Amino acid sequence: MKKAKQLILPISYPDSGRWYAPIRKIKIDERTYALRMGEPVQLGTVTEIEREFRVGRRVLARLANIGIIERMRPSPCLSMYYYADIAAFLERTRTDPAFWTSVRKEAYFSGDSPQEASLL
């Protein structure tokens, strides 16, 4: 029997960037699932982010427009987002019920930039 090796993730190193390790659910039988950790990733396309977090492309674009998450544009037709930013945003809204203040709501719906709306 081989001894399992410990996997050192890039997430454990300070200043290594924003890494996210996705969890995959594998069906074993009707009532049993296994959880497996996927390879750590940083950036994902809109389609990959939608599939992983169930957050729509318009919501992602609006969150990026007001400065809550960061959007990368390697080409005019391609947007990429950091997985860790989306996970942190979802965790923040889960733990802080007062996250969506009236200023943040107004910025989200009107599309103002962070400089125009005081999001602090």
Side-chain angles (χ1 to χ4, degrees):
M1 176 182 243
K2 291 184 180 181
K3 186 175 180 180
K5 293 182 182 179
Q6 182 178 359
L7 178 65
I8 299 172
L9 295 177
I11 200 166
S12 65
Y13 298 111
D15 301 326
S16 65
R18 293 175 273 191
W19 290 92
Y20 175 77
I23 304 296
R24 302 290 174 233
K25 183 171 71 171
I26 301 167
K27 187 174 184 175
I28 296 175
D29 60 23
E30 290 182 18
R31 297 174 49 199
T32 309
Y33 292 90
L35 299 177
R36 298 289 174 147
M37 186 173 60
E39 292 184 22
V41 292
Q42 276 190 324
L43 288 169
T45 63
V46 174
T47 307
E48 293 167 346
I49 297 290
E50 279 181 324
R51 189 179 317 123
E52 182 69 26
F53 294 107
R54 311 279 196 272
V55 177
R57 65 182 60 235
R58 288 183 181 167
V59 173
L60 291 171
R62 283 185 177 186
L63 291 173
N65 289 343
I66 64 173
I68 292 179
I69 61 174
E70 186 178 350
R71 173 177 36 209
M72 307 285 288
R73 304 276 323 228
S75 73
C77 300
L78 179 66
S79 293
M80 298 182 84
Y81 300 94
Y82 284 99
Y83 280 87
D85 285 356
I86 309 299
F89 167 72
L90 292 174
E91 180 63 23
R92 189 172 172 195
T93 57
R94 186 185 69 80
T95 58
D96 183 13
F99 175 81
W100 286 107
T101 62
S102 60
V103 175
R104 283 191 177 117
K105 285 181 192 175
E106 181 61 33
Y108 178 81
F109 289 121
S110 67
D112 292 336
S113 68
Q115 292 79 19
E116 295 172 12
S118 60
L119 296 175
L120 301 176

